[in-house]
Amino acid sequence: MPTFVSPIWEAMEYDFRSIEARWQDYWRKEGTYLTRQDQSRPKFYVLDMFPYPSGAGLHVGHPLGYIASDIVARYKRHKGFNVLHPMGFDAFGLPAEQYAIQTGQHPKLTTEQNIARYREQLDKIGFSFDWSREIRTCNPEYYRWTQWIFIRLFQSWYNSELQRAEPIEKLIERFANEGYDATQPGALSGNIESELHSFTAGEWQSMSEREQSDILLHFRLAYLSEAWVNWCPALGTVLANDEVIDGRSERGGHPVERKRMKQWSLRITAYADRLLDDLDHVEWPESIREAQRNWIGKSEGTTLRFALEKADHIADDLSDAFVEVFTTRPDTVFGVSFVTLAPEHELVQSITRPDLREAVNAYVLQATNKTERERQAEVKKITGQFTGAYVRHPFTGDPIPVWIGEYVLAGYGTGAVMAVPAHDQRDFLFAQHFGLPIKEVVSGGNIAEYAHAVKSGVMVNSDFLNGLTVIEAIPAAVREIELRGFGKGKINYRLRDAAFGRQRYWGEPIPVYYQNGVPHVLPVEELPLILPEVDKYQPTESGEPPLARAESWKYKGEFEFETTTMPGWAGSSWYYLRYMDAGNDTCFASTEAMNYWREVDLYMGGAEHATGHLMYFRFWTKFLFDLGCIPVNEPARKLINQGMIQGVSALVYRIDGTNTFVSAGLREQHHTIAHHVDIHIAPNHVLDLEQFRLWREDFRDAQFILEDGVYHCGSEVEKMSKSKYNVVNPDEIIAEYGADTLRLYEMFLGPLEQSKPWSTQGINGVSNFLRRFWRLFRIVDGKANLNDAVGSPAELKVLHKTIRKVEEDIERFSFNTSVSAFMICTNELHDLKCDKRSVLEPLVVLLSPLAPHMAEELWHALGNTGTVTAATFPKWDQQYLTEHEFEYPVSVNGKVRFKMKLPLDLSKEEVEQVVLSSDEMRRFVPDPPKKVIVVPGRIVNVVV
RNA sequence: GCGCAUGUGGCGUAAUUGGUAGCCGCGCCAGACUUAGGAUCUGGUGCCGAGAGGCGUGGGGGUUCGAGUCCCUCCAUGCGCACCA
């Protein structure tokens, strides 16, 4: 590290080590960042997506978003806002539990250790978090309220006439008075209760508790049902759709299969429309909103029933049976040449003709036994099986064969499609493969070659639809279908209800117990339901979740508790509310606090949460809004996704079968195998040979083929990870350059939202800048040595220009350019040899959001008392910025030829005259010009 | 396949409304002070060319006096979704 002797003013050099320690200590002792409710000031809520504290600690990519949001938080304080800027930990989750299974250590213990390490790392960066509001999702005082919200979900249903959640009592009342008509669900419409049969009020009243409970589960927003789930055998748990990526678990990458299980779910589908529509009213990145729209996948269409044809093999009690399909193209109904059922469809068994039973069973078996991944991998392969049964075409009465095919998904629509091969690509391929008829009903395509699936053309061969365009025919067909009672207009969503139970230990217990097979929620006064201790974290021998190991854990010593726990996203779906009033033990946050802080004004976090966390976050907010608990319908007004910081790996090339390594430039001459090498033993990608030999046992005898006397490593930009030895830790950067330099450099790297590789090389630039800035203040013995004269016009121009630029840049989250503006300012003041207090002091406040430690030190060196973080942001003044002269670039036919300095108050005509009569003009344009364009204060363009 | 985003020097990047492309920083080159330092300061640095000059913002086309910026089209990269009827 540098030891400093400065010959010029015997000034003290910038010693970040003592400065940063001193002020971090001061802020902690003074409680500088504690936030109080203050009705007299406008509020601003800046929130970071809280981290899951992993064992690996933070790398330099993690704080990127935190630094940006911290700058905004500090800036807003200078601007007079009362800022809420909290931090906490998403502390339940799989990795801690996997570790517990391996080591037997309680996940609580490892989680606490990891949090301590995170906290230590975060503290060194100088964030302005109000730690008195810290939350940990695994604390009973916190998850008590997560459980409370679950109970409220259980006690609510969604009234789709009112488009909001209501207490379940309202529904019970309705059943007791009116019963339920499955054909006219009214307020109960949606795709949620399709398996439920009609009943009268009298029938309802005479039902057993168990029967009533089962019916209500079809409506509760938290409900228990038999459903197809994503089962991950390696993790031993069910996963939600967003936790499965390419048929593998998001955590760990284990295969996932489909399994039918009794399972707690949340009815997020009830909110599909509101989740979709309200996307138009939030300031979120277009990519996130688009991802959510796709995820919700709204599509409008109609259901249509095809009555089953009687046949010898079909039982008499199926004489009224039908196949119901969902289609978005009812206009093509006269082009149906077969109907395809999903292999899991409930009718498959009962309609199969005896001679085909064996083939059908085999097909169904192979289809259901496939993992999600296998199924996706074989998407292009066309498979199917005829059942031997026929249905009747609702309009023509023609018999239509019923097939089963894997391309039909059980979970979407009705699990059955009407196949129109002429106008749907999948149906087309299926028909081609099995030699089924292809009938054109929309003109304009070439159905001998491919399906004409676009919505253009005129209807043909279609009875009452003939001659209409597709756009006209769709509503016409729906009208007719509804009129004749064949089906009903319907909206379908790709969005599925969210699996909520996890067969795991380290999560919030679901506050439910069972009495005679009926689930009951705990009375809220008895919350929290504490996670019990268990002897092992594995499932029981009989395959029950780990909580089943807690044998004496029973409600009132008698009733079994639910043994699954909540998923990782439960606690993070409402945490922003808890920060508003973190210590409250009578409710999750007081009404006063929530009416003051309302929603998050700026939410900062990674784009990977587009369809997971951010979806549930919005869902729970809307639900709590419906209950009247909170004043807002959306959790976050503005969302920014910080880009990922990638690592730059270093590679060495071993000649295959030897222990000789060849430098990157020469590797083409050999057959080599690339190995990752720790970037710390290859500074600037030049390998330290000695350290490399010591690095790993098997490299001890390594030989090298060098270029220019050194070994050049290859490099690759990839994700920062331990296994690639390319992790850069913020602590090492801070130890060497200081936290302010780290903060500034992360911002200087480029636009916040962009992904970019980390390169420690460029850090000297900002480090030099901070030292140059420091030197302007001529610090001796902790005191600045400046004079009290007024600034020169040039100095004042630099100052005011910089205030304006930095302010504008922070307002639009362009932090890289604000750092750059500061560098320009420092360079210019240096050139002007500025030593005026009146010019330099405002810059200290301006710098404070970006480099708070240095700003605080300089603030005090200037003789101020109290913290700089409370100082008012300086104001820029136009009078120092107004120019009187401008050097006009004069271009001829769009190419700049020369420049002329002219007063800015000249009129267009005067400028034109002066320019045209100049000597330079005559040199470049001998003849009179065709046209002259003068843009005052910008440019002169002469056309010849 | 569909959707979203991004393409500018050796590198990270900048360019308020269509108005001087390359600010700031890294790296590199030359020098100063000094003498082992990863210090500081000064000058230079888009490409081709000796120069005049020409070329230049992923490629091609267009609008305009003028295009990195607007329009059309193609290409590349990244991310998301994907037999969703």
PDB file of all heavy atoms in Angstrom, chain B residues 7 56-61 71-75:
ATOM      1  P     G B   7     -26.984  -0.286 -27.672  1.00  0.00           P
ATOM      2  OP1   G B   7     -26.494   0.955 -27.056  1.00  0.00           O
ATOM      3  OP2   G B   7     -27.933  -0.227 -28.809  1.00  0.00           O
ATOM      4  O5'   G B   7     -25.735  -1.134 -28.093  1.00  0.00           O
ATOM      5  C5'   G B   7     -25.269  -1.101 -29.398  1.00  0.00           C
ATOM      6  C4'   G B   7     -24.326  -2.246 -29.622  1.00  0.00           C
ATOM      7  O4'   G B   7     -25.094  -3.440 -29.907  1.00  0.00           O
ATOM      8  C3'   G B   7     -23.458  -2.029 -30.842  1.00  0.00           C
ATOM      9  O3'   G B   7     -22.248  -2.762 -30.739  1.00  0.00           O
ATOM     10  C2'   G B   7     -24.318  -2.571 -31.975  1.00  0.00           C
ATOM     11  O2'   G B   7     -23.577  -3.013 -33.075  1.00  0.00           O
ATOM     12  C1'   G B   7     -25.028  -3.745 -31.277  1.00  0.00           C
ATOM     13  N9    G B   7     -26.392  -3.910 -31.800  1.00  0.00           N
ATOM     14  C8    G B   7     -27.539  -3.289 -31.368  1.00  0.00           C
ATOM     15  N7    G B   7     -28.594  -3.632 -32.043  1.00  0.00           N
ATOM     16  C5    G B   7     -28.120  -4.549 -32.971  1.00  0.00           C
ATOM     17  C6    G B   7     -28.802  -5.267 -33.980  1.00  0.00           C
ATOM     18  O6    G B   7     -30.001  -5.238 -34.245  1.00  0.00           O
ATOM     19  N1    G B   7     -27.941  -6.079 -34.708  1.00  0.00           N
ATOM     20  C2    G B   7     -26.590  -6.183 -34.496  1.00  0.00           C
ATOM     21  N2    G B   7     -25.935  -7.017 -35.310  1.00  0.00           N
ATOM     22  N3    G B   7     -25.934  -5.532 -33.564  1.00  0.00           N
ATOM     23  C4    G B   7     -26.759  -4.731 -32.838  1.00  0.00           C
ATOM     24  P     G B  56     -18.359   5.974 -44.760  1.00  0.00           P
ATOM     25  OP1   G B  56     -19.318   4.971 -45.278  1.00  0.00           O
ATOM     26  OP2   G B  56     -18.639   7.417 -44.868  1.00  0.00           O
ATOM     27  O5'   G B  56     -18.067   5.654 -43.229  1.00  0.00           O
ATOM     28  C5'   G B  56     -17.835   4.316 -42.807  1.00  0.00           C
ATOM     29  C4'   G B  56     -17.384   4.309 -41.372  1.00  0.00           C
ATOM     30  O4'   G B  56     -16.275   5.214 -41.195  1.00  0.00           O
ATOM     31  C3'   G B  56     -18.418   4.813 -40.366  1.00  0.00           C
ATOM     32  O3'   G B  56     -19.320   3.782 -40.032  1.00  0.00           O
ATOM     33  C2'   G B  56     -17.542   5.222 -39.187  1.00  0.00           C
ATOM     34  O2'   G B  56     -17.153   4.107 -38.416  1.00  0.00           O
ATOM     35  C1'   G B  56     -16.304   5.778 -39.902  1.00  0.00           C
ATOM     36  N9    G B  56     -16.322   7.238 -40.026  1.00  0.00           N
ATOM     37  C8    G B  56     -16.681   7.994 -41.113  1.00  0.00           C
ATOM     38  N7    G B  56     -16.576   9.278 -40.914  1.00  0.00           N
ATOM     39  C5    G B  56     -16.124   9.384 -39.597  1.00  0.00           C
ATOM     40  C6    G B  56     -15.823  10.529 -38.819  1.00  0.00           C
ATOM     41  O6    G B  56     -15.900  11.718 -39.128  1.00  0.00           O
ATOM     42  N1    G B  56     -15.396  10.165 -37.545  1.00  0.00           N
ATOM     43  C2    G B  56     -15.267   8.879 -37.084  1.00  0.00           C
ATOM     44  N2    G B  56     -14.832   8.742 -35.837  1.00  0.00           N
ATOM     45  N3    G B  56     -15.536   7.807 -37.809  1.00  0.00           N
ATOM     46  C4    G B  56     -15.955   8.129 -39.046  1.00  0.00           C
ATOM     47  P     U B  57     -20.854   4.105 -39.755  1.00  0.00           P
ATOM     48  OP1   U B  57     -21.617   3.040 -40.424  1.00  0.00           O
ATOM     49  OP2   U B  57     -21.141   5.533 -40.052  1.00  0.00           O
ATOM     50  O5'   U B  57     -20.973   3.906 -38.185  1.00  0.00           O
ATOM     51  C5'   U B  57     -20.340   2.783 -37.560  1.00  0.00           C
ATOM     52  C4'   U B  57     -20.842   2.657 -36.144  1.00  0.00           C
ATOM     53  O4'   U B  57     -20.607   3.923 -35.453  1.00  0.00           O
ATOM     54  C3'   U B  57     -22.342   2.392 -36.030  1.00  0.00           C
ATOM     55  O3'   U B  57     -22.553   1.464 -34.982  1.00  0.00           O
ATOM     56  C2'   U B  57     -22.924   3.740 -35.646  1.00  0.00           C
ATOM     57  O2'   U B  57     -24.092   3.650 -34.872  1.00  0.00           O
ATOM     58  C1'   U B  57     -21.791   4.326 -34.813  1.00  0.00           C
ATOM     59  N1    U B  57     -21.819   5.792 -34.762  1.00  0.00           N
ATOM     60  C2    U B  57     -22.125   6.384 -33.548  1.00  0.00           C
ATOM     61  O2    U B  57     -22.340   5.753 -32.533  1.00  0.00           O
ATOM     62  N3    U B  57     -22.155   7.756 -33.565  1.00  0.00           N
ATOM     63  C4    U B  57     -21.916   8.561 -34.649  1.00  0.00           C
ATOM     64  O4    U B  57     -21.970   9.775 -34.508  1.00  0.00           O
ATOM     65  C5    U B  57     -21.619   7.871 -35.873  1.00  0.00           C
ATOM     66  C6    U B  57     -21.586   6.540 -35.883  1.00  0.00           C
ATOM     67  P     G B  58     -23.779   0.450 -35.096  1.00  0.00           P
ATOM     68  OP1   G B  58     -24.999   1.012 -35.691  1.00  0.00           O
ATOM     69  OP2   G B  58     -23.799  -0.110 -33.725  1.00  0.00           O
ATOM     70  O5'   G B  58     -23.232  -0.661 -36.084  1.00  0.00           O
ATOM     71  C5'   G B  58     -22.092  -1.439 -35.757  1.00  0.00           C
ATOM     72  C4'   G B  58     -22.094  -2.695 -36.577  1.00  0.00           C
ATOM     73  O4'   G B  58     -22.957  -3.682 -35.937  1.00  0.00           O
ATOM     74  C3'   G B  58     -22.662  -2.553 -37.983  1.00  0.00           C
ATOM     75  O3'   G B  58     -21.716  -2.042 -38.896  1.00  0.00           O
ATOM     76  C2'   G B  58     -23.084  -3.982 -38.294  1.00  0.00           C
ATOM     77  O2'   G B  58     -21.971  -4.794 -38.581  1.00  0.00           O
ATOM     78  C1'   G B  58     -23.660  -4.398 -36.935  1.00  0.00           C
ATOM     79  N9    G B  58     -25.085  -4.055 -36.828  1.00  0.00           N
ATOM     80  C8    G B  58     -25.652  -3.189 -35.923  1.00  0.00           C
ATOM     81  N7    G B  58     -26.952  -3.090 -36.061  1.00  0.00           N
ATOM     82  C5    G B  58     -27.255  -3.940 -37.119  1.00  0.00           C
ATOM     83  C6    G B  58     -28.494  -4.236 -37.724  1.00  0.00           C
ATOM     84  O6    G B  58     -29.607  -3.812 -37.447  1.00  0.00           O
ATOM     85  N1    G B  58     -28.342  -5.146 -38.763  1.00  0.00           N
ATOM     86  C2    G B  58     -27.161  -5.693 -39.168  1.00  0.00           C
ATOM     87  N2    G B  58     -27.227  -6.551 -40.181  1.00  0.00           N
ATOM     88  N3    G B  58     -25.988  -5.419 -38.616  1.00  0.00           N
ATOM     89  C4    G B  58     -26.103  -4.542 -37.604  1.00  0.00           C
ATOM     90  P     G B  59     -22.204  -1.175 -40.159  1.00  0.00           P
ATOM     91  OP1   G B  59     -20.997  -0.651 -40.818  1.00  0.00           O
ATOM     92  OP2   G B  59     -23.271  -0.258 -39.711  1.00  0.00           O
ATOM     93  O5'   G B  59     -22.864  -2.277 -41.090  1.00  0.00           O
ATOM     94  C5'   G B  59     -22.048  -3.206 -41.805  1.00  0.00           C
ATOM     95  C4'   G B  59     -22.866  -3.965 -42.802  1.00  0.00           C
ATOM     96  O4'   G B  59     -23.882  -4.740 -42.104  1.00  0.00           O
ATOM     97  C3'   G B  59     -23.675  -3.117 -43.778  1.00  0.00           C
ATOM     98  O3'   G B  59     -22.892  -2.622 -44.850  1.00  0.00           O
ATOM     99  C2'   G B  59     -24.726  -4.115 -44.238  1.00  0.00           C
ATOM    100  O2'   G B  59     -24.207  -5.043 -45.157  1.00  0.00           O
ATOM    101  C1'   G B  59     -25.047  -4.824 -42.921  1.00  0.00           C
ATOM    102  N9    G B  59     -26.171  -4.174 -42.227  1.00  0.00           N
ATOM    103  C8    G B  59     -26.117  -3.398 -41.092  1.00  0.00           C
ATOM    104  N7    G B  59     -27.291  -2.967 -40.716  1.00  0.00           N
ATOM    105  C5    G B  59     -28.174  -3.496 -41.654  1.00  0.00           C
ATOM    106  C6    G B  59     -29.577  -3.374 -41.774  1.00  0.00           C
ATOM    107  O6    G B  59     -30.361  -2.760 -41.048  1.00  0.00           O
ATOM    108  N1    G B  59     -30.070  -4.060 -42.883  1.00  0.00           N
ATOM    109  C2    G B  59     -29.301  -4.771 -43.758  1.00  0.00           C
ATOM    110  N2    G B  59     -29.947  -5.357 -44.772  1.00  0.00           N
ATOM    111  N3    G B  59     -27.983  -4.898 -43.669  1.00  0.00           N
ATOM    112  C4    G B  59     -27.491  -4.241 -42.594  1.00  0.00           C
ATOM    113  P     G B  60     -23.309  -1.232 -45.540  1.00  0.00           P
ATOM    114  OP1   G B  60     -22.295  -0.955 -46.573  1.00  0.00           O
ATOM    115  OP2   G B  60     -23.572  -0.243 -44.473  1.00  0.00           O
ATOM    116  O5'   G B  60     -24.694  -1.579 -46.248  1.00  0.00           O
ATOM    117  C5'   G B  60     -24.721  -2.403 -47.403  1.00  0.00           C
ATOM    118  C4'   G B  60     -26.141  -2.621 -47.861  1.00  0.00           C
ATOM    119  O4'   G B  60     -26.910  -3.229 -46.791  1.00  0.00           O
ATOM    120  C3'   G B  60     -26.932  -1.359 -48.200  1.00  0.00           C
ATOM    121  O3'   G B  60     -26.613  -0.838 -49.478  1.00  0.00           O
ATOM    122  C2'   G B  60     -28.369  -1.872 -48.104  1.00  0.00           C
ATOM    123  O2'   G B  60     -28.730  -2.630 -49.235  1.00  0.00           O
ATOM    124  C1'   G B  60     -28.265  -2.790 -46.879  1.00  0.00           C
ATOM    125  N9    G B  60     -28.613  -2.053 -45.654  1.00  0.00           N
ATOM    126  C8    G B  60     -27.757  -1.555 -44.692  1.00  0.00           C
ATOM    127  N7    G B  60     -28.382  -0.931 -43.723  1.00  0.00           N
ATOM    128  C5    G B  60     -29.739  -1.018 -44.074  1.00  0.00           C
ATOM    129  C6    G B  60     -30.889  -0.522 -43.416  1.00  0.00           C
ATOM    130  O6    G B  60     -30.962   0.109 -42.353  1.00  0.00           O
ATOM    131  N1    G B  60     -32.056  -0.826 -44.113  1.00  0.00           N
ATOM    132  C2    G B  60     -32.096  -1.522 -45.296  1.00  0.00           C
ATOM    133  N2    G B  60     -33.309  -1.717 -45.823  1.00  0.00           N
ATOM    134  N3    G B  60     -31.029  -1.995 -45.921  1.00  0.00           N
ATOM    135  C4    G B  60     -29.891  -1.702 -45.253  1.00  0.00           C
ATOM    136  P     G B  61     -26.729   0.754 -49.700  1.00  0.00           P
ATOM    137  OP1   G B  61     -26.346   1.002 -51.104  1.00  0.00           O
ATOM    138  OP2   G B  61     -26.034   1.453 -48.608  1.00  0.00           O
ATOM    139  O5'   G B  61     -28.292   1.024 -49.536  1.00  0.00           O
ATOM    140  C5'   G B  61     -29.161   0.866 -50.648  1.00  0.00           C
ATOM    141  C4'   G B  61     -30.604   0.932 -50.230  1.00  0.00           C
ATOM    142  O4'   G B  61     -30.802   0.262 -48.952  1.00  0.00           O
ATOM    143  C3'   G B  61     -31.191   2.317 -49.969  1.00  0.00           C
ATOM    144  O3'   G B  61     -31.428   3.043 -51.149  1.00  0.00           O
ATOM    145  C2'   G B  61     -32.456   1.953 -49.210  1.00  0.00           C
ATOM    146  O2'   G B  61     -33.451   1.429 -50.065  1.00  0.00           O
ATOM    147  C1'   G B  61     -31.934   0.833 -48.301  1.00  0.00           C
ATOM    148  N9    G B  61     -31.526   1.401 -47.001  1.00  0.00           N
ATOM    149  C8    G B  61     -30.248   1.542 -46.499  1.00  0.00           C
ATOM    150  N7    G B  61     -30.231   2.103 -45.318  1.00  0.00           N
ATOM    151  C5    G B  61     -31.569   2.346 -45.022  1.00  0.00           C
ATOM    152  C6    G B  61     -32.183   2.929 -43.883  1.00  0.00           C
ATOM    153  O6    G B  61     -31.641   3.376 -42.858  1.00  0.00           O
ATOM    154  N1    G B  61     -33.571   2.978 -44.000  1.00  0.00           N
ATOM    155  C2    G B  61     -34.276   2.518 -45.086  1.00  0.00           C
ATOM    156  N2    G B  61     -35.608   2.651 -45.024  1.00  0.00           N
ATOM    157  N3    G B  61     -33.726   1.967 -46.152  1.00  0.00           N
ATOM    158  C4    G B  61     -32.382   1.911 -46.052  1.00  0.00           C
ATOM    159  P     C B  71     -38.510   4.594 -35.761  1.00  0.00           P
ATOM    160  OP1   C B  71     -39.638   4.064 -34.973  1.00  0.00           O
ATOM    161  OP2   C B  71     -37.151   4.030 -35.595  1.00  0.00           O
ATOM    162  O5'   C B  71     -38.878   4.505 -37.307  1.00  0.00           O
ATOM    163  C5'   C B  71     -40.161   4.897 -37.784  1.00  0.00           C
ATOM    164  C4'   C B  71     -40.235   4.628 -39.272  1.00  0.00           C
ATOM    165  O4'   C B  71     -39.248   5.446 -39.961  1.00  0.00           O
ATOM    166  C3'   C B  71     -39.867   3.209 -39.687  1.00  0.00           C
ATOM    167  O3'   C B  71     -40.946   2.317 -39.530  1.00  0.00           O
ATOM    168  C2'   C B  71     -39.468   3.411 -41.143  1.00  0.00           C
ATOM    169  O2'   C B  71     -40.594   3.542 -41.986  1.00  0.00           O
ATOM    170  C1'   C B  71     -38.729   4.742 -41.072  1.00  0.00           C
ATOM    171  N1    C B  71     -37.262   4.572 -40.905  1.00  0.00           N
ATOM    172  C2    C B  71     -36.495   4.246 -42.034  1.00  0.00           C
ATOM    173  O2    C B  71     -37.068   4.082 -43.115  1.00  0.00           O
ATOM    174  N3    C B  71     -35.153   4.090 -41.899  1.00  0.00           N
ATOM    175  C4    C B  71     -34.572   4.269 -40.710  1.00  0.00           C
ATOM    176  N4    C B  71     -33.257   4.111 -40.634  1.00  0.00           N
ATOM    177  C5    C B  71     -35.334   4.606 -39.549  1.00  0.00           C
ATOM    178  C6    C B  71     -36.664   4.749 -39.690  1.00  0.00           C
ATOM    179  P     C B  72     -40.627   0.766 -39.163  1.00  0.00           P
ATOM    180  OP1   C B  72     -41.915   0.136 -38.821  1.00  0.00           O
ATOM    181  OP2   C B  72     -39.490   0.695 -38.223  1.00  0.00           O
ATOM    182  O5'   C B  72     -40.127   0.191 -40.569  1.00  0.00           O
ATOM    183  C5'   C B  72     -41.014   0.133 -41.683  1.00  0.00           C
ATOM    184  C4'   C B  72     -40.270  -0.358 -42.898  1.00  0.00           C
ATOM    185  O4'   C B  72     -39.212   0.571 -43.237  1.00  0.00           O
ATOM    186  C3'   C B  72     -39.533  -1.677 -42.723  1.00  0.00           C
ATOM    187  O3'   C B  72     -40.394  -2.797 -42.815  1.00  0.00           O
ATOM    188  C2'   C B  72     -38.528  -1.610 -43.867  1.00  0.00           C
ATOM    189  O2'   C B  72     -39.114  -1.911 -45.104  1.00  0.00           O
ATOM    190  C1'   C B  72     -38.130  -0.138 -43.836  1.00  0.00           C
ATOM    191  N1    C B  72     -36.891   0.099 -43.047  1.00  0.00           N
ATOM    192  C2    C B  72     -35.655  -0.172 -43.658  1.00  0.00           C
ATOM    193  O2    C B  72     -35.644  -0.600 -44.819  1.00  0.00           O
ATOM    194  N3    C B  72     -34.502   0.034 -42.966  1.00  0.00           N
ATOM    195  C4    C B  72     -34.558   0.496 -41.715  1.00  0.00           C
ATOM    196  N4    C B  72     -33.403   0.684 -41.073  1.00  0.00           N
ATOM    197  C5    C B  72     -35.810   0.772 -41.068  1.00  0.00           C
ATOM    198  C6    C B  72     -36.936   0.565 -41.765  1.00  0.00           C
ATOM    199  P     U B  73     -40.050  -4.110 -41.942  1.00  0.00           P
ATOM    200  OP1   U B  73     -41.144  -5.072 -42.180  1.00  0.00           O
ATOM    201  OP2   U B  73     -39.688  -3.720 -40.560  1.00  0.00           O
ATOM    202  O5'   U B  73     -38.735  -4.649 -42.663  1.00  0.00           O
ATOM    203  C5'   U B  73     -38.790  -5.208 -43.982  1.00  0.00           C
ATOM    204  C4'   U B  73     -37.392  -5.485 -44.462  1.00  0.00           C
ATOM    205  O4'   U B  73     -36.609  -4.253 -44.423  1.00  0.00           O
ATOM    206  C3'   U B  73     -36.580  -6.440 -43.593  1.00  0.00           C
ATOM    207  O3'   U B  73     -36.897  -7.802 -43.833  1.00  0.00           O
ATOM    208  C2'   U B  73     -35.153  -6.079 -44.007  1.00  0.00           C
ATOM    209  O2'   U B  73     -34.799  -6.637 -45.254  1.00  0.00           O
ATOM    210  C1'   U B  73     -35.258  -4.552 -44.139  1.00  0.00           C
ATOM    211  N1    U B  73     -34.853  -3.869 -42.876  1.00  0.00           N
ATOM    212  C2    U B  73     -33.499  -3.669 -42.667  1.00  0.00           C
ATOM    213  O2    U B  73     -32.656  -4.030 -43.460  1.00  0.00           O
ATOM    214  N3    U B  73     -33.172  -3.047 -41.494  1.00  0.00           N
ATOM    215  C4    U B  73     -34.042  -2.610 -40.515  1.00  0.00           C
ATOM    216  O4    U B  73     -33.594  -2.064 -39.508  1.00  0.00           O
ATOM    217  C5    U B  73     -35.434  -2.848 -40.801  1.00  0.00           C
ATOM    218  C6    U B  73     -35.778  -3.457 -41.948  1.00  0.00           C
ATOM    219  P     C B  74     -36.782  -8.819 -42.589  1.00  0.00           P
ATOM    220  OP1   C B  74     -37.563 -10.011 -42.966  1.00  0.00           O
ATOM    221  OP2   C B  74     -37.066  -8.124 -41.323  1.00  0.00           O
ATOM    222  O5'   C B  74     -35.242  -9.202 -42.600  1.00  0.00           O
ATOM    223  C5'   C B  74     -34.660  -9.841 -43.746  1.00  0.00           C
ATOM    224  C4'   C B  74     -33.170  -9.654 -43.733  1.00  0.00           C
ATOM    225  O4'   C B  74     -32.849  -8.235 -43.648  1.00  0.00           O
ATOM    226  C3'   C B  74     -32.434 -10.234 -42.542  1.00  0.00           C
ATOM    227  O3'   C B  74     -32.252 -11.637 -42.625  1.00  0.00           O
ATOM    228  C2'   C B  74     -31.122  -9.467 -42.602  1.00  0.00           C
ATOM    229  O2'   C B  74     -30.281  -9.947 -43.627  1.00  0.00           O
ATOM    230  C1'   C B  74     -31.616  -8.078 -42.964  1.00  0.00           C
ATOM    231  N1    C B  74     -31.817  -7.233 -41.753  1.00  0.00           N
ATOM    232  C2    C B  74     -30.669  -6.691 -41.141  1.00  0.00           C
ATOM    233  O2    C B  74     -29.564  -6.930 -41.624  1.00  0.00           O
ATOM    234  N3    C B  74     -30.820  -5.922 -40.030  1.00  0.00           N
ATOM    235  C4    C B  74     -32.030  -5.701 -39.535  1.00  0.00           C
ATOM    236  N4    C B  74     -32.121  -4.939 -38.448  1.00  0.00           N
ATOM    237  C5    C B  74     -33.210  -6.240 -40.138  1.00  0.00           C
ATOM    238  C6    C B  74     -33.053  -6.994 -41.241  1.00  0.00           C
ATOM    239  P     C B  75     -32.168 -12.493 -41.286  1.00  0.00           P
ATOM    240  OP1   C B  75     -32.176 -13.913 -41.662  1.00  0.00           O
ATOM    241  OP2   C B  75     -33.175 -11.983 -40.327  1.00  0.00           O
ATOM    242  O5'   C B  75     -30.725 -12.121 -40.716  1.00  0.00           O
ATOM    243  C5'   C B  75     -29.553 -12.454 -41.452  1.00  0.00           C
ATOM    244  C4'   C B  75     -28.332 -11.890 -40.772  1.00  0.00           C
ATOM    245  O4'   C B  75     -28.440 -10.441 -40.685  1.00  0.00           O
ATOM    246  C3'   C B  75     -28.132 -12.306 -39.325  1.00  0.00           C
ATOM    247  O3'   C B  75     -27.584 -13.603 -39.206  1.00  0.00           O
ATOM    248  C2'   C B  75     -27.180 -11.220 -38.836  1.00  0.00           C
ATOM    249  O2'   C B  75     -25.859 -11.434 -39.277  1.00  0.00           O
ATOM    250  C1'   C B  75     -27.747  -9.987 -39.530  1.00  0.00           C
ATOM    251  N1    C B  75     -28.685  -9.238 -38.652  1.00  0.00           N
ATOM    252  C2    C B  75     -28.154  -8.442 -37.617  1.00  0.00           C
ATOM    253  O2    C B  75     -26.932  -8.384 -37.468  1.00  0.00           O
ATOM    254  N3    C B  75     -28.995  -7.755 -36.811  1.00  0.00           N
ATOM    255  C4    C B  75     -30.304  -7.824 -37.011  1.00  0.00           C
ATOM    256  N4    C B  75     -31.094  -7.125 -36.184  1.00  0.00           N
ATOM    257  C5    C B  75     -30.876  -8.624 -38.044  1.00  0.00           C
ATOM    258  C6    C B  75     -30.036  -9.310 -38.839  1.00  0.00           C
TER     259        C B  75
END
